[in-house]
Amino acid sequence: MLRSRAVWTPELSVQSLNAPGCHVTVMASSRRRCLRSGLVSLLIYCVYTDTRLGPPEEAERCDSLRLGQYLCKDPKIDEATQEPENCRDATAWVECLPAPNISCRLSNGTEFRFSGGEVGFNKTIPCRNVSGYSYKVAVALSLFLGWLGADRFYLGYPALGLLKFCTVGFCGIGTLIDFILIAMQIVGPADGSNYIVDYYGTRLTRLSITNQTYRKPHLSL
């Protein structure tokens, strides 16, 4: 008894693939595989990007900006005291404007992008405590009436003023010494306040060494 056996041939396979129904099925299957692989690739890329970049960095505070990233206004000067109008306890504050296109967080936590004309934060500046003693008046009294002790009377040292008056300025020596000390702003008002000096004028800044001062080591010779 003879049995028939199917034999696969390339010609038969090509003809079966070229059939209309089979061609549509192959095209649809390839498209699904392509779409599936594309979605998987997109998912992997998104996960990789999110893992690499991490969460977005939070903008820094406006009062933590570095030099060159902001510009502070000049303080309003009181004509009588020649110090900022809002001077309290040797400190005052001025308004500072971040540079254009700078983004930072305001004091209430809101992030804001500045254009260069908005106030971002207030910065404290030092100011001096004055109580009505003028530097120019003190120097003038010491120069012209120092031998009578007028400078010491004006600054609140009546005992030294009387002594200078009785000794004619310690024979001129005390007059010269007081003039130098007052001109260099070493001797000031007796109440511990500062002279009234023009805010943009010549002011004496004393340098001192404290425990917080860095001392550069010197090599022994």
Side-chain angles (χ1 to χ4, degrees):
M1 182 176 180
L2 298 177
R3 296 181 180 178
S4 61
R5 186 175 58 180
V7 180
W8 180 85
T9 59
E11 293 79 3
L12 181 61
S13 176
V14 172
Q15 291 176 1
S16 61
L17 291 177
N18 290 333
C22 184
H23 181 71
V24 173
T25 304
V26 171
M27 290 295 295
S29 177
S30 62
R31 287 179 181 176
R32 284 195 298 269
R33 286 197 299 270
C34 182
L35 180 61
R36 195 175 300 150
S37 61
L39 291 176
V40 172
S41 301
L42 181 61
L43 179 61
I44 294 175
Y45 175 77
C46 292
V47 172
Y48 172 75
T49 304
D50 184 70
T51 304
R52 185 177 181 181
L53 297 180
E57 294 184 0
E58 189 178 14
E60 62 180 344
R61 292 176 56 87
C62 292
D63 53 6
S64 300
L65 294 176
R66 291 169 290 277
L67 293 177
Q69 293 182 324
Y70 64 89
L71 178 65
C72 294
K73 297 181 179 180
D74 293 332
K76 295 181 180 180
I77 306 303
D78 188 346
E79 294 183 0
T81 62
Q82 288 298 310
E83 296 294 330
E85 293 181 352
N86 53 16
C87 180
R88 298 291 184 278
D89 298 329
T91 57
W93 56 269
V94 292
E95 296 178 341
C96 296
L97 291 72
N101 300 324
I102 290 291
S103 296
C104 59
R105 288 186 295 113
L106 302 175
S107 57
N108 58 5
T110 305
E111 184 176 348
F112 187 80
R113 187 178 184 87
F114 293 86
S115 62
E118 302 88 358
V119 177
F121 62 97
N122 296 329
K123 183 179 180 181
T124 58
I125 58 173
C127 60
R128 307 192 311 169
N129 176 33
V130 297
S131 59
Y133 294 94
S134 174
Y135 173 70
K136 295 178 180 178
V137 173
V139 172
L141 289 176
S142 181
L143 178 62
F144 298 106
L145 299 176
W147 59 279
L148 295 176
D151 50 356
R152 289 290 181 169
F153 282 114
Y154 173 74
L155 294 177
Y157 303 97
L160 286 176
L162 182 60
L163 188 60
K164 287 180 67 176
F165 177 80
C166 295
T167 60
V168 191
F170 297 101
C171 298
I173 298 177
T175 302
L176 177 61
I177 293 176
D178 271 354
F179 174 74
I180 294 175
L181 294 179
I182 293 175
M184 296 181 64
Q185 302 179 19
I186 297 176
V187 172
D191 59 0
S193 62
N194 297 101
Y195 287 114
I196 297 177
V197 185
D198 293 341
Y199 186 79
Y200 296 103
T202 303
R203 296 190 176 199
L204 177 65
T205 301
R206 294 184 177 88
L207 300 179
S208 60
I209 297 177
T210 63
N211 291 332
Q212 304 299 327
T213 306
Y214 174 74
R215 299 186 181 185
K216 184 177 180 180
H218 294 272
L219 298 177
S220 58
L221 299 179

